[in-house]
């Protein structure tokens, strides 16, 4: 029985020792992300989003193609694409079981962001 306890303690130590270094590495990566300067002219809703061609053109005209690419903003082939973090879809009219999400409609160009109720 004492041998089993020793083995259990050994395995627990193996599990617990690397967590401190993993946590430090994750903190360093988060600090690095916070240190990167974000372009203040790009609204936060567009960062990392897929936008329609008209919104893409407006953002490129506002801040330039390099800044838009650095903000991880992707261009869709039309205004008909996903929105609200893949929880909605850009459409000209929403279905009866959907509602218009006005906050996320900014990435849809001329369409509205339709999300399920």
């Amino acid at each position: 029985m004492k041998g089993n306890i020793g083995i259990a303690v050994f395995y627990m130590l193996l599990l617990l020792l690397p967590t401190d270094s993993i946590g430090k590495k994750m903190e360093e990566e988060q600090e690095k992300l916070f240190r990167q300067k974000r372009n203040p002219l790009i609204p936060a809703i567009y960062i990392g989003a897929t936008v329609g061609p008209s919104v893409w053109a407006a953002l490129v005209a506002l801040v330039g193609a390099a800044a838009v690419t650095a903000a991880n903003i992707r261009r869709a082939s039309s205004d008909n694409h996903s929105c609200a973090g893949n929880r909605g879809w850009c459409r000209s009219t929403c279905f009866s079981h959907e509602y218009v999400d006005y906050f996320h409609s900014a990435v849809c160009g001329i369409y509205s962001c339709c999300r399920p109720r």
Side-chain angles (χ1 to χ4, degrees):
M1 215 38 178
K2 291 183 181 182
N4 290 341
I5 292 174
I7 292 173
V9 169
F10 175 72
Y11 282 117
M12 286 182 63
L13 286 174
L14 287 178
L15 289 172
L16 295 177
L17 289 177
T19 57
D20 188 41
S21 62
I22 292 171
K24 286 181 183 176
K25 183 181 272 188
M26 289 176 66
E27 285 178 11
E28 290 172 1
E29 289 176 7
Q30 287 177 351
E31 287 178 16
K32 189 186 300 181
L33 288 174
F34 284 127
R35 282 188 210 129
Q36 291 177 349
K37 296 200 180 222
R38 184 180 75 81
N39 192 329
L41 295 176
I42 299 176
I45 190 171
Y46 294 120
I47 295 175
T50 301
V51 297
S54 58
V55 177
W56 173 267
L59 286 172
V60 168
L62 181 66
V63 295
V68 171
T69 305
N72 196 23
I73 301 172
R74 294 169 302 281
R75 180 184 178 272
S77 59
S78 71
D79 280 335
N80 188 10
H81 57 83
S82 66
C83 59
N86 287 336
R87 294 182 308 265
W89 196 262
C90 296
R91 295 190 180 94
S92 58
T93 57
C94 296
F95 295 127
S96 61
H97 64 277
E98 296 176 328
Y99 71 96
V100 176
D101 185 352
Y102 292 103
F103 180 75
H104 290 100
S105 289
V107 299
C108 293
I110 61 172
Y111 289 164
S112 299
C113 182
C114 299
R115 292 181 58 185
R117 293 187 192 268

